[in-house]
Amino acid sequence: MNNYDFIVIGAGSAGCVLANRLSKDSSNKVLLIEAGGTDRRFYVQMPIGYGKTYYQKDINWMYMAEPSPGANNRSSYWPRGKLLGGSSSINAMVHVRGNPQDFDDWQKAGNPGWSYNDLLPYFKRMESWQDSDDQYRGSSGPLNVSDVTDQLHPLCNNFVSAAEELGISFNADMNGKIQEGVGHYQITTHKGRRMSASRAYLRPIMKRSNLTVITKALVTRILFEGKRAIGVEYAKARKLYQANAKLEVILSAGAVNSPQLLQLSGIGPESLLKEANVTVIHDSPAVGKNLQDHLGVSYFYKSKVRTLNNQLRPWWGRLWQGIRYVLTRTGPLSLSVNQSGGFVRTRDGLTGPNIQLYFSPVSYTLELPGKRAMLSPDSFSAMLLGVSSCKSNSRGQIRIKSSDPTVAPIIEPNYLSHDDDVKDLLEGVKLLRQLAQTESFSKVIINEFRPGPECKSDAQMIEDIRDNAWTVFHPACTCCMGPDPLKNVVDSNLKVHGIEGLRVVDASIFPQLICGNINAATIMVGEKASDLILADISK
Ligand SMILES: Cc1cc2nc3c(=O)[nH]c(=O)nc-3n(C[C@H](O)[C@H](O)[C@H](O)COP(=O)(O)OP(=O)(O)OC[C@H]3O[C@@H](n4cnc5c(N)ncnc54)[C@H](O)[C@@H]3O)c2cc1C
């Protein structure tokens, strides 16, 4: 058996941070094990390549969630990254920290040390924001965050002025002092290439002699001596291996696979484990529960002016943009399609934003099986206005259906099972229509073609939400942090309740979803966890 001080399972957004920070001290021997392979691929590195990697099965777990009754029994497709960088290697790169209140709520849920003030130093330490180093932003961290305002489609200005017409202020930095308002999204790229957690944290230090990175290795279970984690078993090239962790095993397999691996290893709801014939190490009822996700809905508008559809639909347009990208690393292929957006309240009496807005100068309404619609924009000039909830009141769960680690777990998102989630989206889509009717937009919009004017009563709009709302790929909270071993999986030091030598560090530990995209907060969790771990070993 190979011996290490730390074993990190999963080289995703959080796992790459841990591999870097824990191996900085050359006396710590660190093993990072990743189920997928390399991230050195053209479509991973080219920002808009996420349209392609969305369905690439050698680098994507390609999960299918169970039907949700609240979403008219539709199932949803859940891409998750299976390669170095994890989901940060296939995501849409929108960089949003979340609302300061989100983290204050995490602290109030019984997690000392997790208020926004406690976490701000980590948000600063992780990033290289090109504009400045001030009270809120960092300029020398590993993760480059780009301001791409000068490259955005001109219609983004119509979006901002439309919002201003409705009294929503422009916010030049939604990751600065205040999150609320509308503006242009910052993205995790550097010089036109994706800045994944792997590129930021792992690639630069991969040659450290005290760091071992094993790829294409599926961790099949965590090994225990009594209630202490002592190592892992993993499968690589059809053989089983074991590795030993002298200090800690750290589970960073993401919101789907971390609870799955805990359950496979005997930590989870006792009845579920027994049903699956897994030997119970520790009855932890909350493992896999509390699943939350952001749901989005888009409204589509035909445009009087040319949009990315005109640039990316014809083959010669794609060829031209491809040449431009290869030669200059600029143009639409160097960006996310989510160019502008914001955070707003749709009614009085709320303490913070309840809705996130998206504006994309592109439309894709034709679903092609096995191919992301984004790759085949509509054949006419058009754009989309989108909305997603900031929080979710609906709760789902992840549970194993077999003790076989190669069998996908059952994902039950239970979308739209809470009336408040429907209400937020209904008010959100009404806001989209108000935006479309402003002077700034009506001068460039021909008409709304999906869902279209026939969808006009509240009942029709709700039905459309139930028929079309889609994950925006932010599952979280399935190993949620908190003080109660019956309701929470890890404590505020991210240690698994009732177990020694085992932490969970990834998006699964969020107590509740944050307002906005979650990659930045997951990287922050990795940064904070590395300090907690290093502080513990120096005692
Ligand atoms: C299509 C898409 C678009 C997105 N867009 C955005 C966006 O624009 N902005 C944003 O902020 N967020 C976005 N997200 C979400 C964000 O990227 C993820 O929430 C975040 O990367 C999760 O980080 P993580 O560390 O929790 O898990 P991951 O990054 O998913 O990492 C988990 C890693 O563990 C590995 N693993 C799992 N099980 C095992 C095992 N048994 N053995 C070994 N290895 C294992 C996986 O292969 C993976 O590499 C998007 C996600 C997707 C999928």
Side-chain angles (χ1 to χ4, degrees):
M1 203 196 262
N2 291 312
N3 290 311
Y4 299 90
D5 295 308
F6 298 105
I7 297 179
V8 181
I9 305 170
S13 299
C16 289
V17 180
L18 289 165
N20 180 318
R21 301 296 187 198
L22 298 181
S23 66
K24 190 167 180 207
D25 177 343
S26 59
S27 65
N28 290 330
K29 213 176 154 195
V30 179
L31 170 64
L32 176 66
I33 311 187
E34 168 54 45
T38 180
D39 55 340
R40 289 237 156 103
R41 291 163 166 259
F42 181 68
Y43 287 114
V44 170
Q45 294 177 11
M46 177 177 70
I48 216 169
Y50 71 96
K52 190 93 174 168
T53 56
Y54 189 78
Y55 280 123
Q56 268 183 343
K57 83 169 186 293
D58 51 341
I59 57 168
N60 190 327
W61 293 88
M62 295 183 65
Y63 288 125
M64 212 55 216
E66 298 297 306
S68 290
N72 285 345
N73 281 318
R74 282 177 306 122
S75 323
S76 48
Y77 170 61
W78 279 30
R80 310 299 304 159
K82 186 182 184 183
L83 72 167
L84 293 179
S87 299
S88 76
S89 287
I90 65 162
N91 73 11
M93 297 154 294
V94 172
H95 183 79
V96 169
R97 281 184 182 175
N99 193 291
Q101 251 180 53
D102 299 330
F103 305 101
D104 291 344
D105 288 343
W106 286 14
Q107 159 137 308
K108 281 188 204 135
N111 298 301
W114 290 87
S115 72
Y116 185 64
N117 277 345
D118 293 315
L119 302 176
L120 183 56
Y122 296 109
F123 278 120
K124 288 180 70 177
R125 159 171 124 179
M126 70 193 228
E127 72 175 3
S128 238
W129 167 239
Q130 59 193 29
D131 266 11
S132 65
D133 186 346
D134 63 17
Q135 201 184 339
Y136 298 97
R137 303 306 304 259
S139 64
S140 50
L143 185 81
N144 199 84
V145 179
S146 298
D147 175 354
V148 287
T149 310
D150 60 343
Q151 290 199 57
L152 299 180
H153 193 284
L155 281 171
C156 293
N157 296 326
N158 298 64
F159 169 75
V160 168
S161 53
E164 285 175 330
E165 282 183 52
L166 298 181
I168 305 168
S169 321
F170 174 66
N171 184 344
D173 183 3
M174 293 182 279
N175 294 309
K177 185 173 181 191
I178 292 168
Q179 184 198 36
E180 214 158 335
V182 293
H184 306 305
Y185 284 128
Q186 298 160 15
I187 56 173
T188 40
T189 57
H190 187 46
K191 297 191 174 155
R193 286 169 63 215
R194 171 183 293 275
M195 179 53 74
S196 66
S198 165
R199 186 169 171 218
Y201 284 89
L202 188 61
R203 289 279 169 200
I205 55 98
M206 214 146 151
K207 293 208 168 101
R208 281 182 188 160
S209 59
N210 59 325
L211 172 69
T212 306
V213 181
I214 304 181
T215 55
K216 298 201 168 173
L218 180 79
V219 175
T220 48
R221 64 190 172 111
I222 299 162
L223 305 170
F224 293 94
E225 220 168 61
K227 293 216 174 191
R228 181 175 181 87
I230 53 154
V232 299
E233 176 189 81
Y234 63 94
K236 184 170 167 72
R238 300 205 184 143
K239 279 196 187 148
L240 276 184
Y241 300 85
Q242 293 194 342
N244 180 38
K246 275 196 277 175
L247 297 174
E248 291 199 13
V249 174
I250 303 148
L251 181 52
S252 299
V256 176
N257 299 104
S258 282
Q260 178 201 23
L261 201 49
L262 283 179
Q263 293 171 3
L264 288 169
S265 308
I267 301 174
E270 190 167 6
S271 55
L272 171 72
L273 304 188
K274 285 186 170 157
E275 229 173 87
N277 286 323
V278 171
T279 308
V280 179
I281 301 281
H282 185 68
D283 178 19
S284 178
V287 174
K289 299 277 168 56
N290 197 39
L291 168 64
Q292 298 170 39
D293 194 7
H294 289 136
L295 266 197
V297 184
S298 298
Y299 275 33
F300 294 86
Y301 297 90
K302 284 196 177 160
S303 163
K304 292 177 190 163
V305 299
R306 289 167 69 78
T307 65
L308 295 187
N309 292 12
N310 308 88
Q311 291 178 317
L312 299 178
R313 168 84 192 186
W315 67 264
W316 64 87
R318 285 201 294 278
L319 178 67
W320 164 238
Q321 292 303 339
I323 294 170
R324 178 180 177 194
Y325 176 73
V326 170
L327 294 180
T328 66
R329 297 270 183 262
T330 61
L333 307 193
S334 70
L335 303 173
S336 172
V337 295
N338 303 313
Q339 298 199 345
S340 302
F343 299 90
V344 295
R345 304 176 200 212
T346 55
R347 56 183 176 271
D348 294 335
L350 295 170
T351 55
N354 61 328
I355 280 299
Q356 179 171 3
L357 296 172
Y358 290 93
F359 172 70
S360 303
V362 65
S363 76
Y364 31 86
T365 49
L366 192 66
E367 273 298 342
L368 304 166
K371 196 167 173 200
R372 192 169 191 188
M374 200 179 103
L375 291 177
S376 307
D378 294 318
S379 55
F380 42 85
S381 308
M383 60 184 110
L384 77 79
L385 281 166
V387 67
S388 68
S389 47
C390 280
K391 293 282 158 65
S392 169
N393 296 289
S394 305
R395 295 287 180 270
Q397 63 173 333
I398 306 274
R399 57 193 172 90
I400 48 171
K401 68 171 162 228
S402 147
S403 59
D404 179 348
T406 63
V407 172
I410 298 170
I411 300 172
E412 292 168 322
N414 210 12
Y415 288 129
L416 299 173
S417 55
H418 196 291
D419 289 346
D420 287 352
D421 295 348
V422 179
K423 184 176 173 184
D424 281 342
L425 283 180
L426 176 64
E427 291 177 358
V429 293
K430 286 182 176 173
L431 176 62
L432 299 184
R433 282 197 167 149
Q434 283 178 294
L435 285 165
Q437 281 156 14
T438 57
E439 205 188 318
S440 302
F441 261 143
S442 45
K443 65 184 178 206
V444 288
I445 283 177
I446 300 170
N447 66 338
E448 176 189 299
F449 69 100
R450 211 220 69 77
E454 54 288 352
C455 175
K456 55 175 186 277
S457 68
D458 280 10
Q460 287 168 321
M461 288 161 98
I462 289 175
E463 200 51 17
D464 180 68
I465 290 167
R466 294 198 190 279
D467 276 344
N468 290 295
W470 198 255
T471 172
V472 292
F473 319 113
H474 299 159
C477 313
T478 48
C479 298
C480 113
M481 167 172 68
D484 182 347
L486 295 179
K487 293 193 185 133
N488 309 119
V489 177
V490 295
D491 65 16
S492 57
N493 289 312
L494 306 181
K495 293 180 176 171
V496 174
H497 284 294
I499 296 288
E500 297 282 304
L502 180 61
R503 295 191 214 226
V504 183
V505 180
D506 56 28
S508 71
I509 66 92
F510 290 15
Q512 305 142 29
L513 268 180
I514 58 163
C515 184
N517 317 63
I518 66 171
N519 187 47
T522 309
I523 291 176
M524 175 280 292
V525 167
E527 288 278 11
K528 161 111 181 154
S530 64
D531 271 11
L532 292 172
I533 296 166
L534 292 172
D536 268 5
I537 62 164
S538 68
K539 275 180 193 159

